[in-house]
Amino acid sequence: MTDELRRDALDALTRARSRTAVLTSCVDDDELTAQHSPLMSPLVWDLAHIGNQEEQWLVRAVGGREALRPEIDSLYDAFEHPRASRPSLPLLAPAEARLYAADVRGRVLDILERTPLEGAPLVDAAFAFGMIAQHEQQHDETMLITHQLRRAPAALTAPEPPVHPVEPLPAETLVPGGPFTMGTSTEPWALDNERPAHRRDVPAFWIDTVPVTCGAYQAFIDDGGYTERRWWAEEGWDQIRAHDIGAPLFWRREGGVWLRRRFGVTEEVPADEPVLHVSWYEADAYARWAGRRLPTEAEWEKAARHDPHAGRSRRYPWGDADPEPEHANLGQRHLRPARAGGYPEGASPLGVRQLIGDVWEWTASDFLPYPGFAAFPYREYSEVFFGSAHKVLRGGSFAVDPVACRGTFRNWDLPVRRQIFSGFRTARDAEVRTGGAV
């Protein structure tokens, strides 16, 4: 078992570093050090931050070794320096950042080989190594967002998602009411906000079988969705008026056709693809316009994990096996969502499609701790973000690696955010018939 854990940790760390290399080698040093949006860090900051976090947690905390570059810790402290201010810091130059990250990785591989993967929470089941692999992949997704915000020509390429024959699907799926197990106490690399497993009783509800598409969202726009105050939460209405927002980010209308910019390429908006780059406020307004609502986080997870026939929660919609390419659009294999209704082998027990991968899905829920939550291994990962300021997203996107995407994985962001790879699906309460039967 220990050898298998070491192989899994090595594979996760190697896969993350390979992706980091792709994202930072496809542009020149000027592009790496530029700030392409005040919402994001320069790519070179992310590169050195990845190495610094790996040094702090794996070289120092796990390996017990002397610090390599303690003087740069504060430069790469995400809480100390907001993204907008990071270009003004004395950051490591690209070549130095690469050498630093490579030096750290070389020491980490030696530590991984020598460390007993049991006996303390930080090393049990190689947790710290999995945590750092997830951290790097999360920054890889952040860097991919920065690539999307770049105004320069395309620097990244990837094949198109597979086209699966899509048979006629029901518009919505009924999820029966009753209890289910939410969260996890057994997933070895689950982060603190996913824990512990606990019982939730969720009334019956209907949920969209596929994410809301660009074509469906265009109908909302064409019907005056962005000009009707009644569909919008007060703060959302203030945002779209203040910033003159009338469509998803990166969309524009030209000659009666909706176009979008995607990683440096301008293309017609595909009607059958899940809508992308919408804020929570936009998702909420669409749902109201459609006579529906966003699902709660518990509803989303029940739709994704609960098997009503077996009476248990799965790791993923398709079962307990790790994601494979036929299950979901993950890991930057493609640079766009697949068409709605794709990946039939990744469907949930009730037939709901694309709950994992393609687009992060906004939920109605605030980011709050589960009953029995305990911060680990540091408060700043989750606890400091709990409250009503952040909304929960679930399911991952095409930009998320499988190591950082589970049926229990929780993402969160401010409801104004649009640069992230966010979409949504809608839900509604089940109708209660006479006698209380659903």
Side-chain angles (χ1 to χ4, degrees):
M1 176 59 82
T2 299
D3 287 344
E4 184 179 349
L5 285 170
R6 291 191 208 282
R7 285 195 298 271
D8 289 346
L10 177 61
D11 177 68
L13 290 167
T14 302
R15 193 168 66 245
R17 188 54 49 88
S18 296
R19 185 179 175 196
T20 299
V22 168
L23 290 162
T24 56
S25 65
C26 62
V27 293
D28 61 25
D29 285 3
D30 288 341
E31 291 272 0
L32 287 175
T33 56
Q35 187 172 46
H36 299 280
S37 165
L39 295 171
M40 311 303 291
S41 309
L43 291 167
V44 74
W45 185 92
D46 287 288
L47 176 58
H49 170 77
I50 285 166
N52 185 249
Q53 287 292 292
E54 188 165 323
E55 182 196 345
Q56 290 192 49
W57 284 103
L58 299 184
V59 175
R60 302 182 203 172
V62 173
R65 301 188 183 182
E66 187 176 346
L68 279 72
R69 299 289 299 268
E71 76 280 4
I72 69 172
D73 289 356
S74 64
L75 290 178
Y76 297 100
D77 186 327
F79 286 89
E80 188 172 338
H81 302 289
R83 286 175 174 174
S85 69
R86 290 171 189 171
S88 64
L89 299 173
L91 303 176
L92 301 185
E96 190 177 8
R98 288 191 182 97
L99 285 172
Y100 169 61
D103 187 7
V104 171
R105 177 54 59 88
R107 295 166 193 257
V108 163
L109 297 182
D110 182 61
I111 290 166
L112 175 60
E113 188 64 32
R114 296 170 181 267
T115 301
L117 301 181
E118 59 184 0
L122 200 57
V123 295
D124 282 347
F127 174 81
F129 298 93
M131 178 184 74
I132 287 300
Q134 290 178 79
H135 173 265
E136 182 163 354
Q137 287 285 5
Q138 288 167 334
H139 276 272
D140 288 341
E141 182 178 7
T142 298
M143 289 194 283
L144 190 62
I145 292 169
T146 301
H147 274 278
Q148 169 62 9
L149 287 162
R150 289 175 61 249
R151 291 286 181 177
L156 295 166
T157 60
E160 293 294 295
V163 177
H164 300 98
V166 179
E167 70 279 12
L169 295 171
E172 58 181 355
T173 300
L174 177 65
V175 180
F180 85 108
T181 299
M182 186 172 184
T184 180
S185 297
T186 58
E187 192 72 32
W189 290 356
L191 303 171
D192 59 4
N193 63 68
E194 301 171 65
R195 300 173 182 271
H198 57 286
R199 179 187 174 98
R200 287 285 181 97
D201 202 331
V202 178
F205 65 98
W206 293 88
I207 192 166
D208 290 339
T209 303
V210 301
V212 171
T213 63
C214 295
Y217 199 85
Q218 285 177 40
F220 167 66
I221 299 173
D222 293 343
D223 196 44
Y226 281 89
T227 61
E228 289 280 352
R229 168 67 184 84
R230 58 182 167 152
W231 307 129
W232 295 83
E234 182 177 353
E235 298 85 354
W237 183 247
D238 291 344
Q239 279 286 320
I240 67 162
R241 306 307 291 173
H243 299 283
D244 194 26
I245 295 170
L249 188 61
F250 307 116
W251 285 30
R252 74 173 191 271
R253 194 157 196 160
E254 192 173 290
V257 176
W258 281 108
L259 303 176
R260 70 176 180 189
R261 179 168 56 84
R262 183 177 61 83
F263 298 109
V265 175
T266 298
E267 61 189 14
E268 188 171 342
V269 172
D272 61 356
E273 192 174 290
V275 69
L276 195 61
H277 297 302
V278 290
S279 69
W280 183 90
Y281 292 124
E282 289 170 292
D284 179 64
Y286 173 95
R288 293 172 192 244
W289 168 81
R292 298 170 69 80
R293 58 176 175 79
L294 295 178
T296 66
E297 183 182 14
E299 287 175 332
W300 187 97
E301 187 167 326
K302 186 172 186 181
R305 297 184 62 215
H306 185 61
D307 183 344
H309 309 295
R312 70 177 189 93
S313 290
R314 299 172 164 188
R315 294 179 67 216
Y316 298 96
W318 55 85
D320 296 332
D322 289 339
E324 297 291 344
E326 65 269 19
H327 291 134
N329 183 4
L330 294 167
Q332 201 184 310
R333 288 193 302 269
H334 315 291
L335 289 172
R336 65 192 307 157
R339 63 186 290 198
Y343 293 95
E345 293 188 47
S348 77
L350 295 172
V352 185
R353 301 278 182 97
Q354 292 165 288
L355 286 156
I356 297 292
D358 287 307
V359 295
W360 284 108
E361 298 186 14
W362 288 109
T363 72
S365 299
D366 297 336
F367 184 49
L368 298 172
Y370 289 159
F373 168 84
F376 178 78
Y378 59 106
R379 291 183 61 249
E380 290 78 10
Y381 182 74
S382 302
E383 188 174 342
V384 298
F385 296 101
F386 289 147
S388 60
H390 295 86
K391 295 295 186 182
V392 174
L393 302 104
R394 299 298 298 262
S397 72
F398 65 88
V400 178
D401 186 81
V403 76
C405 185
R406 294 171 286 278
T408 58
F409 193 92
R410 307 173 75 196
N411 189 10
W412 65 93
D413 215 325
L414 298 171
V416 298
R417 289 289 185 248
R418 310 172 79 225
Q419 80 275 15
I420 60 177
F421 300 114
S422 52
F424 64 101
R425 70 182 75 215
T426 67
R428 67 180 175 92
D429 297 345
E431 296 175 359
V432 179
R433 302 189 182 96
T434 304
V438 175

